[in-house]
């Protein structure tokens, strides 16, 4: 008998999840479903993402809710739009063969009227991110008086993102008598406090050891010199021929710089960070999901809730500021029973942080060596030969060309032909890795820090004109600015003359520009609290930011720029006001201090 039937799940649902490939319950499902199916207890489940949490609470909800009624009976709160959509979609899939099940996904950054319409039509399960949920509650557009079950999914993430107050406000709209089920990957004291405040004697369940990462993840670290990081990273990528990875950086600028450098060096990469509009984010995510992107370069905040299966590597290009975040990062790989690698590039001084992470995840890291050029060449060559070996041959289409192909090769032996094919790529690698040094930190000490001769992708030193400071602004050619427009905008905003502005280096979603040292403060003050097309405009000193250094800028006390009127520029509107929280990212960017991400 199907083990899900043993757990009391109805046939229709078992049929649907069998189609989804669920053969037996995952450990969290096995433990949580019997408890939750009774509908009698509050519940705290400590489990990573990717362990099958959604079905652990979703399947019991489908058994407990009265679907003949059309009012909300369950509310699932989760931190991000991606997760919200995923949960709603999964619930609908489990209920594929049930009648009258209505689930609505309520999240920011999308048209609210569609969501309101669905709610009006009648729903039993509301899956929501906190910001948009409060908005809808504020419009008195939903009645939670019949809610019997509240699920707080990824509770630690919601608190990390500053949703504590929103959660309190939302829960105060639900009846006193209800069951609350909380899921969290970690159990910091803030999450504990929620459990204490909102639950009575919750049943607690831990999958794996407390705060322990997924068993299927291998944790590796490489010790390198800070300035070799990029080259070392590329070596690892080149060596891992089937990589499908997420690369974590600490700041938006770092994600952009690395994605740009990778694209320039011929890799298939793009960045995901908080400055992108929802539409841009969706586009990047679609490409990643479709695997047209091989490397997704992301900040912690932007990557929250990313739910893509088969990620082979999580790469910590920079370790997270908060060691707790390491668990969230590494949990993006080894989902649904697969294996994965979470690797970190660190300098000698950061080894202590690795030890702290080991304590948190309860697992040891393995120290690895950056592959040598010869190893990479061998690996790439074999991968290529493998590809040739396994290529699908379209007999029909190639046949007409075969006689002339054969003729052109007739003077060559089989060995010669193979050698030539291999050399096509081999010569490129040889060229590419010519004089490539050993990048491991200890070797670099030994060889006296010889330069990175030959290896491609050496970072170009940027020369800044004397007496000028190089600044970053998060507007670029995608905003349909020309260099002249940008000059005008800077001069207008800072009230300085064009002579004060030096080189302007326009990029896709951002621009570097030079300003005379004496006018830097004017620029910061001028752009303080401004927005362009609903996006908060951000100006930073470029070098400082990319090193994760402190942010500079006029005063941060929410001053409005003087004369703050609207300006139109090529159809885009520049607002000299502080951004309202209703627009894009309102949910995600509560506090200015997070805007680096
Ligand atoms: P979740 O932790 O709910 O995001 O689930 C992670 C992935 O595991 C999703 O792709 C699910 O469809 C899949 N999954 C969940 N439960 C099972 C199961 N019992 N058997 C196989 N796959 C599952």
């Amino acid at each position: 008998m199907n083990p899900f039937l043993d757990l009391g799940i109805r046939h229709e649902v078992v049929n649907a999840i069998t189609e989804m490939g669920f053969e037996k319950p995952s450990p969290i499902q096995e433990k949580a479903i019997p408890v939750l199916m009774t509908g009698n207890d509050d519940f705290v489940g400590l489990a990573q993402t990717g362990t099958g949490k959604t079905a652990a609470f979703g399947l019991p909800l489908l058994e407990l809710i009265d679907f003949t009624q059309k009012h909300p009976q369950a509310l699932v709160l989760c931190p991000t739009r991606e997760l919200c959509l995923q949960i709603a979609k999964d619930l609908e899939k489990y209920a594929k063969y049930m009648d009258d099940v209505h689930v609505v996904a309520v999240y920011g950054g999308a048209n609210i009227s569609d969501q309101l319409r669905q709610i009006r039509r009648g729903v039993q399960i509301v899956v929501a991110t906190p910001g948009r949920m409060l908005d809808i509650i504020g419009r008195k557009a939903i009645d939670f008086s019949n809610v019997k079950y509240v699920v707080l999914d990824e509770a630690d993430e919601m608190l990390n993102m500053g949703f504590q107050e929103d959660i309190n406000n939302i829960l105060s709209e639900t009846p006193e008598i209800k069951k609350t089920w909380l899921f969290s990957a970690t159990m910091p004291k803030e999450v504990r406090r929620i459990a204490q405040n909102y639950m009575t004697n919750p049943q607690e369940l831990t999958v794996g050891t407390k705060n322990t990462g997924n068993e299927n993840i291998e944790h590796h670290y490489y010790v390198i010199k800070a300035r070799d990081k990029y080259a070392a990273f590329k070596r690892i990528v080149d060596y891992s021929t089937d990589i499908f990875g997420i690369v974590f950086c600490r700041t938006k600028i770092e994600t952009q710089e690395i994605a740009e450098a990778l694209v320039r060096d011929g890799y298939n990469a793009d960045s995901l960070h908080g400055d992108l509009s929802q539409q841009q984010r969706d586009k990047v995510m679609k490409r990643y999901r479709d695997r047209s992107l091989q490397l997704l370069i992301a900040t912690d905040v932007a990557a929250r809730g990313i739910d893509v299966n088969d990620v082979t590597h999580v790469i910590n290009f920079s370790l997270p500021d908060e060691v707790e975040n390491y668990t969230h990062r590494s949990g993006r790989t080894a989902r649904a029973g697969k294996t994965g690698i979470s690797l970190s590039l660190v300098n000698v001084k950061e080894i202590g942080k690795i030890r702290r992470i080991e304590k948190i995840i309860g697992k040891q890291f393995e120290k690895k060596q950056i592959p040598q050029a010869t190893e990479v060449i061998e690996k790439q060559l074999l991968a290529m030969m493998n590809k040739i070996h396994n290529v699908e041959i379209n007999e029909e289409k190639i046949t007409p060309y075969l006689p002339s192909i054969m003729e052109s090769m007739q003077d060559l032996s089989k060995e010669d032909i193979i050698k030539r094919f291999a050399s096509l790529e081999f010569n490129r690698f040889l060229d590419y890795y010519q004089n490539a040094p050993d990048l491991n930190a200890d070797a670099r000490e030994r060889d006296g820090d010889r330069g990175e001769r030959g290896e491609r992708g050496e970072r170009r030193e940027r020369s800044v004109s004397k007496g000028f400071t190089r600044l970053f602004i998060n507007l670029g050619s995608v905003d349909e600015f020309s260099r002249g427009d940008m000059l005008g905008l800077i001069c207008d905003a800072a009230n300085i003359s064009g002579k004060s502005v030096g080189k302007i280096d326009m990029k896709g979603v951002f621009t570097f520009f030079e300003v005379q040292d004496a006018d830097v403060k004017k620029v910061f003050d001028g752009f303080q609290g401004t927005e362009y097309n609903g996006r908060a405009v951000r100006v930073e000193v470029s070098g400082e930011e990319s090193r994760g250094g402190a942010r500079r800028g006029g005063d941060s006390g929410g001053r409005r720029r003087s004369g703050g009127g609207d300006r139109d520029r090529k159809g885009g509107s520049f607002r000299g006001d502080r951004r309202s929280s209703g627009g894009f990212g309102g949910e995600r960017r509560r506090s200015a201090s997070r805007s680096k991400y």
Side-chain angles (χ1 to χ4, degrees):
M1 177 146 126
N2 184 301
F4 284 101
L5 289 173
D6 281 342
L7 289 173
I9 308 293
R10 69 183 76 192
H11 273 281
E12 292 93 324
V13 173
V14 172
N15 289 344
I17 60 176
T18 304
E19 282 178 16
M20 292 170 71
F22 294 20
E23 286 170 10
K24 58 178 184 12
S26 70
I28 179 100
Q29 291 160 3
E30 202 165 26
K31 290 185 186 169
I33 291 174
V35 179
L36 300 183
M37 288 276 276
T38 67
N40 291 332
D41 290 298
D42 285 340
F43 175 85
V44 173
L46 208 54
Q48 310 289 316
T49 91
T51 50
K53 278 182 298 138
T54 318
F57 65 78
L59 303 183
L61 283 182
L62 293 180
E63 298 302 323
L64 292 165
I65 288 171
D66 176 0
F67 291 102
T68 60
Q69 306 292 318
K70 278 182 124 185
H71 46 245
Q73 294 163 58
L75 167 65
V76 181
L77 287 178
C78 60
T80 63
R81 162 198 158 99
E82 283 76 17
L83 190 58
C84 175
L85 281 166
Q86 187 65 42
I87 295 173
K89 217 165 60 196
D90 283 354
L91 292 174
E92 276 166 358
K93 278 198 214 153
Y94 310 151
K96 181 174 166 194
Y97 298 117
M98 285 174 70
D99 292 327
D100 303 320
V101 176
H102 299 285
V103 181
V104 65
V106 162
Y107 52 90
N111 189 336
I112 196 166
S113 4
D114 290 346
Q115 297 172 0
L116 291 171
R117 201 169 313 121
Q118 287 185 62
I119 293 170
R120 268 199 303 276
R121 255 191 262 140
V123 293
Q124 297 99 355
I125 306 179
V126 179
V127 186
T129 54
R132 177 56 66 87
M133 191 68 257
L134 264 187
D135 192 346
I136 288 179
I137 290 173
R139 292 167 189 240
K140 306 222 174 310
I142 197 154
D143 172 14
F144 278 150
S145 61
N146 289 298
V147 164
K148 293 190 178 62
Y149 306 96
V150 170
V151 181
L152 302 173
D153 195 18
E154 301 208 351
D156 50 352
E157 289 276 8
M158 286 200 280
L159 297 187
N160 270 344
M161 293 171 77
F163 285 138
Q164 171 79 67
E165 207 182 314
D166 290 356
I167 294 173
N168 293 346
N169 290 334
I170 294 167
L171 292 185
S172 69
E173 292 293 311
T174 60
E176 276 284 307
I177 298 183
K178 62 174 179 284
K179 297 300 162 213
T180 305
W181 303 343
L182 179 150
F183 289 85
S184 194
T186 58
M187 191 50 70
K189 54 183 182 311
E190 295 79 8
V191 176
R192 250 305 132 229
R193 208 170 300 133
I194 295 203
Q196 279 156 4
N197 290 350
Y198 292 107
M199 299 184 190
T200 357
N201 297 330
Q203 295 264 357
E204 282 207 26
L205 246 182
T206 303
V207 178
T209 351
K210 250 176 210 173
N211 291 350
T212 292
N214 179 332
E215 282 304 310
N216 293 334
I217 305 174
E218 282 179 37
H219 301 270
H220 299 168
Y221 74 100
Y222 296 81
V223 184
I224 38 146
K225 296 261 178 196
R227 64 181 168 72
D228 288 332
K229 211 185 225 190
Y230 180 67
F233 163 61
K234 285 193 306 164
R235 275 265 184 109
I236 294 170
V237 171
D238 287 348
Y239 188 74
S240 317
T241 40
D242 288 327
I243 196 166
F244 177 54
I246 302 184
V247 182
F248 281 96
C249 300
R250 285 171 52 231
T251 62
K252 286 181 214 174
I253 297 188
E254 203 176 46
T255 63
Q256 284 169 334
E257 285 192 345
I258 290 169
E260 274 217 347
L262 284 171
V263 169
R264 203 174 53 221
D265 291 342
Y267 294 85
N268 200 350
D270 206 343
S271 63
L272 190 74
H273 56 78
D275 266 359
L276 303 183
S277 68
Q278 194 62 56
Q279 218 177 358
Q280 289 170 313
R281 282 176 60 94
D282 289 348
K283 233 170 160 178
V284 175
M285 278 315 295
K286 181 166 185 324
R287 287 175 60 215
Y288 188 61
R289 258 181 237 288
D290 294 349
R291 294 187 162 242
S292 351
L293 268 187
Q294 200 175 11
L295 296 168
L296 182 69
I297 324 294
T299 57
D300 288 283
V301 173
R304 281 191 177 143
I306 289 183
D307 177 22
V308 177
N309 285 341
D310 303 326
V311 171
T312 58
H313 290 69
V314 163
I315 297 173
N316 296 285
F317 191 85
S318 311
L319 284 176
D321 287 333
E322 306 284 333
V323 278
E324 294 264 335
N325 268 341
Y326 181 85
T327 318
H328 294 300
R329 289 182 174 189
S330 56
R332 304 291 153 215
T333 182
R335 298 173 64 79
K338 306 262 171 51
T339 55
I341 293 173
S342 172
L343 63 89
S344 303
L345 297 167
V346 299
N347 59 43
V348 179
K349 287 190 210 129
E350 290 174 306
I351 296 177
K353 208 162 179 180
I354 293 286
R355 301 289 167 246
R356 287 206 295 287
I357 296 172
E358 283 179 334
K359 287 211 182 89
I360 287 182
I361 62 171
K363 260 183 117 173
Q364 285 212 325
F365 275 66
E366 208 179 311
K367 185 176 176 208
K368 291 277 187 181
Q369 296 287 312
I370 300 287
Q372 301 300 329
T374 47
E375 295 173 281
V376 178
I377 292 174
E378 186 179 351
K379 192 84 186 291
Q380 291 265 0
L381 267 180
L382 286 180
M384 186 189 72
M385 297 322 284
N386 224 4
K387 213 158 143 193
I388 293 178
H389 205 267
N390 297 333
V391 69
E392 213 172 298
I393 297 171
N394 186 329
E395 297 285 356
E396 193 194 322
K397 291 270 160 57
I398 200 156
T399 305
Y401 303 99
L402 281 179
S404 39
I405 293 174
M406 294 301 179
E407 198 190 324
S408 71
M409 295 283 149
Q410 68 182 351
D411 57 326
L412 299 175
S413 69
K414 177 181 163 190
E415 281 71 26
D416 279 337
I417 293 173
I418 293 174
K419 244 191 274 177
R420 278 170 166 72
F421 259 106
S423 295
L424 269 180
E425 283 288 286
F426 186 62
N427 292 345
R428 196 172 63 82
F429 295 139
L430 272 188
D431 189 33
Y432 174 40
Y433 278 114
Q434 205 178 17
N435 297 325
D438 183 335
L439 292 176
N440 295 289
D442 38 9
R444 294 294 255 172
E445 290 290 350
R446 278 198 306 274
D447 74 5
D449 278 0
R450 190 154 59 88
E452 181 69 0
R453 285 172 295 150
E455 192 153 346
R456 77 177 162 169
E458 220 173 316
R459 298 198 110 164
R460 270 179 267 145
E461 274 300 311
R462 300 183 206 105
S463 64
V464 181
S465 314
K466 199 159 181 282
F468 283 79
T469 303
R470 192 167 195 259
L471 301 180
F472 158 95
I473 186 166
N474 62 338
L475 299 173
S477 47
V478 292
D479 300 291
E480 294 186 29
F481 275 99
S482 68
R483 227 179 273 259
D485 292 334
M486 182 55 79
L487 180 65
L489 179 77
I490 297 165
C491 293
D492 274 3
N495 202 11
I496 53 177
S497 89
K499 276 189 280 179
S500 259
V501 182
K503 276 181 263 173
I504 297 182
D505 188 8
M506 306 265 303
K507 308 274 180 190
V509 290
F510 60 94
T511 298
F512 290 112
F513 63 98
E514 294 178 345
V515 169
Q516 279 186 356
D517 294 340
D519 288 331
V520 169
K521 184 165 183 333
K522 283 192 194 159
V523 175
F524 280 122
D525 287 351
F527 281 108
Q528 177 78 30
T530 60
E531 65 178 42
Y532 185 79
N533 271 356
R535 228 162 86 209
V537 177
R538 200 163 42 82
V539 176
E540 275 147 19
V541 174
S542 79
E544 261 181 21
E545 180 59 20
S546 59
R547 286 194 299 271
R551 185 177 168 176
R552 270 180 62 178
D555 61 58
S556 54
R559 273 183 346 108
R560 281 158 194 255
R561 59 188 303 283
S562 55
D566 287 11
R567 244 165 281 197
D568 276 328
R569 202 169 281 278
K570 288 211 171 153
S573 73
F574 176 72
R575 287 184 62 82
D577 281 348
R578 236 179 206 299
R579 183 174 38 104
S580 69
S581 63
F584 152 68
E587 292 203 326
R588 224 166 285 265
R589 309 219 250 120
R590 294 268 135 162
S591 72
S593 62
R594 259 204 313 271
S595 70
K596 252 188 356 178
Y597 314 98

